[in-house]
Amino acid sequence: MLVLLPPSEGKAASGRGAPLKTDALSLPGLAPARERVLGELVDLCTGDEEKAREVLGLSEGLRGEVAKNTELRTAGARPAGQIYTGVLYDALDLASLDAAAKRRAARSLLVFSGLWGAVRVTDRIPSYRCSMGVNLPGLGALGAYWRAPMAEVLPEAAGERLVLDLRSSAYAAAWKPKGEVAGRTATVRVLHAPTRKVVSHFNKATKGRIVRSLLTSGIAPGGPAELVEALRDLGYEVEAEAPAKAGRPWSLDVLVDEIH
């Protein structure tokens, strides 16, 4: 199974580890695209601070994020699973997984990023600020920029596995599975059962719990239909809609009664 996750806007501090080695990151086919985004981002942030803050969509209170981006090549790097924080990652709680579940996480979790394209949770990266919605001078909108390199690399990364897509819409724009891969893909919404509405906080928290449940159980569904049964066995209320045509993803709604 390959699980596609969004990053978090807020991130833990880089710490004092060895600096970034871009050639050591997973999915090496993305390396040239990563270098271009990294170079443009560092150049932007070492220039006019106000322009950088405007481009990155940062409030006055987040002005320090611009300075942080200027040091991306020299700052300490940590595993991405320790850098990304927030509601989804708090619920997933990678650090508390047992050894077997951590190995599954290393193989199956892929975090999408405006800066890196996509990384595994074991890839060592510095803390940064650059969302997929950013329009970088020289590159344009990152969601569109990443489509071509992702289309080259991600089908191979998926292989013959089920793809569980938990990304938000901005990150889903960077790669949309097609053809046979799409037929093995399941997208998930988390809905408040009484209202059938998505509420951001428990949507993220429930997605984190779903991933944790799958990792700790060791269940490895081979396709979307098996995933539906696995989630139900794990105690989730799931409504599933198979695609009307071949080459389209499945749509899964996970219903939650309480917002927490």
Side-chain angles (χ1 to χ4, degrees):
M1 177 173 59
L2 182 68
V3 182
L4 311 181
L5 297 174
S8 58
E9 287 300 315
K11 298 171 183 69
S14 294
R16 297 183 179 181
L20 170 72
K21 294 182 179 179
T22 55
D23 58 355
L25 297 177
S26 301
L27 308 178
L30 297 178
R34 286 171 177 149
E35 281 292 342
R36 288 191 66 195
V37 179
L38 180 60
E40 290 285 346
L41 181 60
V42 171
D43 287 349
L44 170 70
C45 292
T46 52
D48 186 321
E49 184 181 84
E50 289 304 317
K51 177 182 178 182
R53 194 161 65 86
E54 180 181 353
V55 169
L56 296 175
L58 300 176
S59 66
E60 175 66 31
L62 293 174
R63 180 181 294 274
E65 299 292 287
V66 175
K68 182 169 70 175
N69 280 349
T70 66
E71 301 175 349
L72 288 173
R73 295 189 186 275
T74 56
R78 299 168 61 190
Q82 297 176 21
I83 292 291
Y84 293 116
T85 59
V87 175
L88 188 155
Y89 292 91
D90 287 347
L92 173 53
D93 196 7
L94 287 167
S96 69
L97 295 175
D98 63 29
K102 285 180 178 176
R103 288 193 294 271
R104 295 183 194 109
R107 293 192 301 266
S108 62
L109 305 187
L110 204 60
V111 184
F112 275 60
S113 162
L115 175 52
W116 314 114
V119 292
R120 300 196 185 279
V121 292
T122 51
D123 284 331
R124 298 180 64 84
I125 59 173
S127 183
Y128 67 96
R129 193 73 175 221
C130 184
S131 72
M132 192 66 81
V134 165
N135 192 324
L136 274 182
L139 294 182
L142 290 177
Y145 169 81
W146 280 111
R147 285 174 195 156
M150 290 288 197
E152 291 290 327
V153 172
L154 266 294
E156 182 179 354
E160 300 298 321
R161 295 182 287 175
L162 162 71
V163 178
L164 173 56
D165 190 351
L166 302 178
R167 297 172 296 167
S168 55
S169 58
Y171 291 90
W175 181 59
K176 295 184 178 180
K178 295 181 179 180
E180 194 268 336
V181 179
R184 289 186 277 110
T185 297
T187 62
V188 173
R189 297 188 304 174
V190 180
L191 304 181
H192 185 215
T195 63
R196 283 302 198 276
K197 293 182 179 179
V198 174
V199 179
S200 179
H201 179 87
F202 82 86
N203 171 56
K204 295 175 182 177
T206 302
K207 286 179 177 179
R209 294 187 190 105
I210 286 171
V211 177
R212 184 178 177 87
S213 296
L214 291 168
L215 293 173
T216 56
S217 70
I219 297 172
E226 292 178 35
L227 173 65
V228 172
E229 293 307 312
L231 291 177
R232 288 172 177 165
D233 289 344
L234 290 167
Y236 295 94
E237 183 179 354
V238 182
E239 295 178 351
E241 182 178 345
K245 297 180 180 180
R248 302 278 180 86
W250 283 54
S251 298
L252 275 57
D253 286 342
V254 176
L255 306 180
V256 181
D257 289 324
E258 297 181 2
I259 300 176
H260 56 86

